[in-house]
């Protein structure tokens, strides 16, 4: 029985490893010309680590990351709005909350697979299903590959999803985002933070080796040419009234390292499984990054998929069971993250001040319940 995965991102590689561990060698087709380590940082919450435990690679990934002892939301002057003690999460779930450089995660995942298992320069453009139910993937070069089962992990702009759901299109959240990693500035940070102001949001996340990953979101029109041209100096101007170490981090940011994206997600779908084809990761349920859960959900997909495949011999039934388990949870993440983004990006100064005050009064038990819903998952 042959298995094919379209897309060699976090979802596709995690699924390939999970399948390998139950004795299935899936072939991965990736659009990029080479598997180059790219990107900035990534926070992986306890649910993702639990999923990696299920897949059997958690310790190797934890070894390349940086443990976060807390996550705080601050105001522009650096005063605490909310604070989550992630060490307490670790105590409760016996798991880590941590941050990792995307390149390090990718390298760790790739190291688990045989080089020949991932074929690059293979951009899928669609698929056909023959009378026997076999799937033939079509690629931009004209190449075709036939498989019994197809796992679709080609991200938010998925070509295969567009074939299955022609009306599905990414939606713009109304804010745009810059990211970068800076070298060790001797800040000695042990927790992550996000600072909210009327002019935007700025996140600071320590990585291994003293490096710092930061992200900044501001409200803007979609694909704005003015924001496209922004350099670190422009961001220094936007965030000039934000507390330290934000100005220093921007001061040390190299323009060439800036990554810029409009923030988009996918309006929740009502289906992931189509007989012997299944959508996973951002291709199925791309979310805004406000809960830091996009990749975590992709990793949950990989763990859930193999958990269902282990339960029953019929992969089509397993794909359906996967869909039943994953649809409600992924929808909740997408919706909650979308709403949180709207609150966090409030640009009216009076409303922003009111929001900060209200958030300070949210009882700890409410925050903990939300966190529990996010982290308390089994595979
Ligand atoms: C600013 C920002 C910050 C974020 N922070 C976090 C965070 O802290 N924590 C977290 O959990 N998540 C975070 N995310 C979300 C996370 O990046 C995504 O959810 C995750 O990368 C999804 O993985 P994926 O493999 O499904 O898709 P992708 O990462 O998009 O990978 C898809 C892969 O498929 C390939 N591909 C694309 N099209 C084709 C094709 N037609 N044929 C073949 N291959 C193709 C691509 O080249 C790519 O390698 C963040 C996202 C953003 C934008």
């Amino acid at each position: 029985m042959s298995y094919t995965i379209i897309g060699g991102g976090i979802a596709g590689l995690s699924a390939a490893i999970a399948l390998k561990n139950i004795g299935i060698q899936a072939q991965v087709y990736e659009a990029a010309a080479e598997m180059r380590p790219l990107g900035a940082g990534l926070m992986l919450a306890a649910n993702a680590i639990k999923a990696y435990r299920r897949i059997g690679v958690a310790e190797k990934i934890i070894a390349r990351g940086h443990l976060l002892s807390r996550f705080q939301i601050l105001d522009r002057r650096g005063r605490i709005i909310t604070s989550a003690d992630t060490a307490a999460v670790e105590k409760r779930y016996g798991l880590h909350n941590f941050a990792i450089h995307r390149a390090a995660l990718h390298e760790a995942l790739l190291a688990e697979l045989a080089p020949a298992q991932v074929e690059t320069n293979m951009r899928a453009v669609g698929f056909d299903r023959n009378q026997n139910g076999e799937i033939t993937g079509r690629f931009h070069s004209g190449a075709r590959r036939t498989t019994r089962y197809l796992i679709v992990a080609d991200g938010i702009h998925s070509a295969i999803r567009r074939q299955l759901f022609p009306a599905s299109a990414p939606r713009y959240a109304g804010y745009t985002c810059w990211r970068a990693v800076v070298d060790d500035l001797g800040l000695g940070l042990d927790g992550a933070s996000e600072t909210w102001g009327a002019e935007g949001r700025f996140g600071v996340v320590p990585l291994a080796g003293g490096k710092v990953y930061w992200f900044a979101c501001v409200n803007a029109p979609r694909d704005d040419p003015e924001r496209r041209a922004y350099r670190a100096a422009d961001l220094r101007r936007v965030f000039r009234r934000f507390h330290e170490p934000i100005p220093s981090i921007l001061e040390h940011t190299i323009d060439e390292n800036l990554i810029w994206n409009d923030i988009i997600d996918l309006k929740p779908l009502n289906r992931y499984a189509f007989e012997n084809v299944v959508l996973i990761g951002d291709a199925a349920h791309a979310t805004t990054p406000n809960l830091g859960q996009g990749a975590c959900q992709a990793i949950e997909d990989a763990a859930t998929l193999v958990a269902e495949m282990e339960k029953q011999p019929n992969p089509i039934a397993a794909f359906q069971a996967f869909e039943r388990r994953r649809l409600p949870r992924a929808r909740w993440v997408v919706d909650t993250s979308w709403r949180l983004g709207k609150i966090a990006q409030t640009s009216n100064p009076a409303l922003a001040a009111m929001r900060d005050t209200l958030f300070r009064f949210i009882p700890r038990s409410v925050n903990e319940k939300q966190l529990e819903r996010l982290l308390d998952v089994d595979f």
Side-chain angles (χ1 to χ4, degrees), residues 6-12 29-32 35 41-44 102 106 122-125 139 153-159 177 179 213 215 261-263 280-283 286-287 289 292-298:
I6 302 289
I10 296 168
Y29 295 107
E30 162 59 41
M35 299 298 279
L42 198 62
M43 281 190 277
L44 290 183
R102 277 178 191 261
H106 240 79
M122 291 290 281
R123 176 173 293 280
V125 292
F139 296 85
D154 53 349
I156 188 167
H157 300 290
S158 170
C177 181
R179 294 173 273 173
Y213 156 54
F215 56 90
N261 302 93
D262 279 342
I263 295 299
I280 65 167
D282 276 11
T287 173
Q293 275 288 320
C296 299
Q297 292 301 307

Side-chain angles (χ1 to χ4, degrees), residues 19-101:
L19 288 169
K20 187 186 92 173
N21 292 343
I22 59 166
I24 294 173
Q25 169 97 359
Q27 189 64 23
V28 181
Y29 295 107
E30 162 59 41
E34 52 178 320
M35 299 298 279
R36 260 190 314 140
L38 281 176
L42 198 62
M43 281 190 277
L44 290 183
N47 56 322
I49 300 306
K50 201 168 187 180
Y52 272 143
R53 287 240 153 91
R54 177 70 167 79
I55 293 170
V57 292
E59 301 315 318
K60 291 180 187 163
I61 287 161
I62 290 170
R64 291 172 179 247
H66 181 86
L67 182 64
L68 301 173
S69 62
R70 61 174 175 271
F71 179 80
Q72 293 184 317
I73 296 178
L74 307 171
D75 68 14
R76 212 166 44 196
R77 289 163 62 183
R79 295 172 304 192
I80 294 172
I81 297 175
T82 67
S83 182
D85 181 359
T86 56
V89 170
E90 193 189 335
K91 219 175 275 164
R92 175 131 40 109
Y93 296 98
L95 298 163
H96 295 94
N97 260 301
F98 87 124
I100 186 166
H101 199 297

Side-chain angles (χ1 to χ4, degrees), residues 104-147:
L105 176 61
H106 240 79
E107 275 167 7
L109 296 176
L110 272 175
E112 296 297 309
L113 301 170
Q117 212 180 326
V118 183
E119 210 176 313
T120 54
N121 212 6
M122 291 290 281
R123 176 173 293 280
V125 292
F127 74 93
D128 302 304
R129 188 186 268 119
N130 72 16
Q131 282 165 341
N132 303 325
E134 278 175 339
I135 302 285
T136 299
R138 288 182 271 109
F139 296 85
H140 72 300
S141 59
R144 286 162 183 270
R145 295 286 186 274
T146 297
T147 185

Side-chain angles (χ1 to χ4, degrees), residues 15 68 87 104 109-110 130 142 161 197 205 227 234 250 301 312 329:
L68 301 173
L109 296 176
L110 272 175
N130 72 16
R161 188 196 62 241
V205 184
R227 297 326 198 289
D234 300 294
L250 285 171
D301 282 346
Q312 50 192 320
R329 183 164 162 84

Side-chain angles (χ1 to χ4, degrees), residues 260-302:
W260 174 65
N261 302 93
D262 279 342
I263 295 299
I264 51 178
D265 80 352
L266 198 63
K267 200 166 164 209
L269 305 177
N270 55 13
R271 208 174 156 187
Y272 301 151
F274 300 79
E275 295 169 55
N276 50 350
V277 177
V278 68
L279 302 176
I280 65 167
D282 276 11
H285 44 64
T287 173
T288 51
N290 307 304
L291 289 176
Q293 275 288 320
C296 299
Q297 292 301 307
I299 300 161
E300 278 196 23
D301 282 346

